[in-house]
Amino acid sequence: MTLQRPENRHQVALLRRLRDDGPRSRAELGDGIELSRSKLAAEVDRLIELGLVEATGLAASRGGRRSTALALSSRTRLLGVDIGATSVDVALADAELNVLAHVSEDVEVRLGPEVVIDRALDLARKLLADEPGTVLAGVGVGVPGPVNFDRGEPVSPPIMPGWNGYPVRERFATALGCPAIVDNDVNIMALGEKHAGIARRANDFLFVKIGTGIGCGVVIRDQVYRGVNGSAGDIGHIQVDDDGPVCTCGNVGCLEAYFGGAALRRDALAAARSGRSAFLSERLAQVGTLIAADVGAAAEAGDPYAVTMVRDGGRVLGEVLAGLVSFLNPGLVVLGGGVSQIGHELLAQVRSVVYQRSLPLATGNLPIVMSELGDEAGVIGAARMISDQIYSTPGGR
Ligand SMILES: [Zn+2]
């Protein structure tokens, strides 16, 4: 069973309002939507007929009269899938994008699309099995690399061998029997923060993901800006040193070759083995390996070498961001992704460099903050992205 689609832009506006602001009375629902009372009533009745909206009992309304509250159909379900470099997250949400269930599993994206997508589909089917009688309206999918958005396929993703041109959207749509949408994971995380996180009131902002790699979601006037080929915001491959380490993309001295999760892990292992960091040497001896988060733990514990690693990384990242801020004049910069959690020193360093390097006019009112949603940003954003597509008219409005 598939979900009906809205028929005109008024219905789209009503559905999106119910999604973003929650259940309303008929009178409240019409506020700010330019429709006569009778037209509004007709559109609402039609949405109920289509099964997109339902009456949910009584709500106290203005003027003391009690009226029926309207809400999006309680049977509608959306899936958000966030495929990362080393894990896959799947969440089931209702039409208002409240997460009802969220599961995560370790799987390496380099094992290729068949293996990873099969795992994601297994997780999705398990979540759906617990929800009999509901309608799966769509699935949004994020992948850790550039995506041709119109085709729903990854394009030459550096850390995803075997994924280039793979029909990811087609696979999900066919397997789950619903509309699907695929985008870069950074773009979906940006949308997640926009829908339910710290960027809720921001119309123009940057979301910087520091994970295994580094990328940037660019939101302009509430829309994700993807560029001509879907590679807008791929800041991890901006060169910061023409004599630096070799990057997964084949170039030299890229930002993420300095400061992605993979780079931090490499540097942490080197520091531990050479004895430059006592904390990391000890951790390596205890656990047998190191991850980027260990650098954060070492820095928080005051290990001087680890503090230097975090400061240097924050400075290089801050320099790149200062350029972006001067260029785009965003109203907010959000730092997210696993490595962003390595401690307050990183945020302090990024702030200091951006405020120093960008022009005062661009930074006069520019908060630089941490993601609020953490691991949930991706799945909520993926659900939001497919929701935007479902709650649109065939003409795209
Ligand atoms: Zn690179």
Side-chain angles (χ1 to χ4, degrees), residues 236-237 247-251 254 256:
H237 302 284
C247 181
T248 49
C249 74
N251 287 327
C254 296
E256 73 176 45

Side-chain angles (χ1 to χ4, degrees), residues 224-244:
V224 171
Y225 178 77
R226 297 188 174 85
V228 173
N229 296 316
S231 77
D234 212 349
I235 63 168
H237 302 284
I238 290 178
Q239 194 182 46
V240 293
D241 181 354
D242 59 13
D243 196 24

Side-chain angles (χ1 to χ4, degrees), residues 175-358:
L176 296 170
C178 65
I181 205 165
V182 180
D183 202 350
N184 182 287
D185 62 347
V186 184
N187 290 343
I188 65 162
M189 289 168 90
L191 263 189
E193 291 291 339
K194 166 88 194 138
H195 184 80
I198 198 149
R200 211 167 145 71
R201 272 171 289 278
N203 309 116
D204 304 86
F205 70 96
L206 300 175
F207 178 90
V208 182
K209 180 198 172 192
I210 317 161
T212 303
I214 296 179
C216 180
V218 182
V219 175
I220 300 174
R221 295 188 176 175
D222 291 332
Q223 304 288 320
V224 171
Y225 178 77
R226 297 188 174 85
V228 173
N229 296 316
S231 77
D234 212 349
I235 63 168
H237 302 284
I238 290 178
Q239 194 182 46
V240 293
D241 181 354
D242 59 13
D243 196 24
V246 176
C247 181
T248 49
C249 74
N251 287 327
V252 166
C254 296
L255 172 61
E256 73 176 45
Y258 267 93
F259 190 58
L264 268 181
R265 183 169 177 271
R266 172 201 66 207
D267 293 348
L269 284 168
R273 287 179 183 135
S274 66
R276 274 170 293 169
S277 161
F279 186 104
L280 292 172
S281 299
E282 203 174 306
R283 178 69 62 98
L284 180 61
Q286 278 167 2
V287 186
T289 187
L290 291 174
I291 56 172
D294 293 324
V295 178
E300 293 282 294
D303 181 87
Y305 192 78
V307 171
T308 309
M309 286 171 75
V310 174
R311 278 195 192 145
D312 284 352
R315 180 180 48 76
V316 175
L317 176 63
E319 282 167 4
V320 168
L321 291 183
L324 301 180
V325 165
S326 295
F327 179 67
L328 208 65
N329 187 203
L332 174 72
V333 176
V334 184
L335 304 185
V339 178
S340 71
Q341 307 298 320
I342 63 174
H344 65 278
E345 189 59 39
L346 172 65
L347 183 61
Q349 191 67 24
V350 168
R351 280 180 175 155
S352 140
V353 174
V354 172
Y355 294 148
Q356 259 171 41
R357 292 280 183 104
S358 310

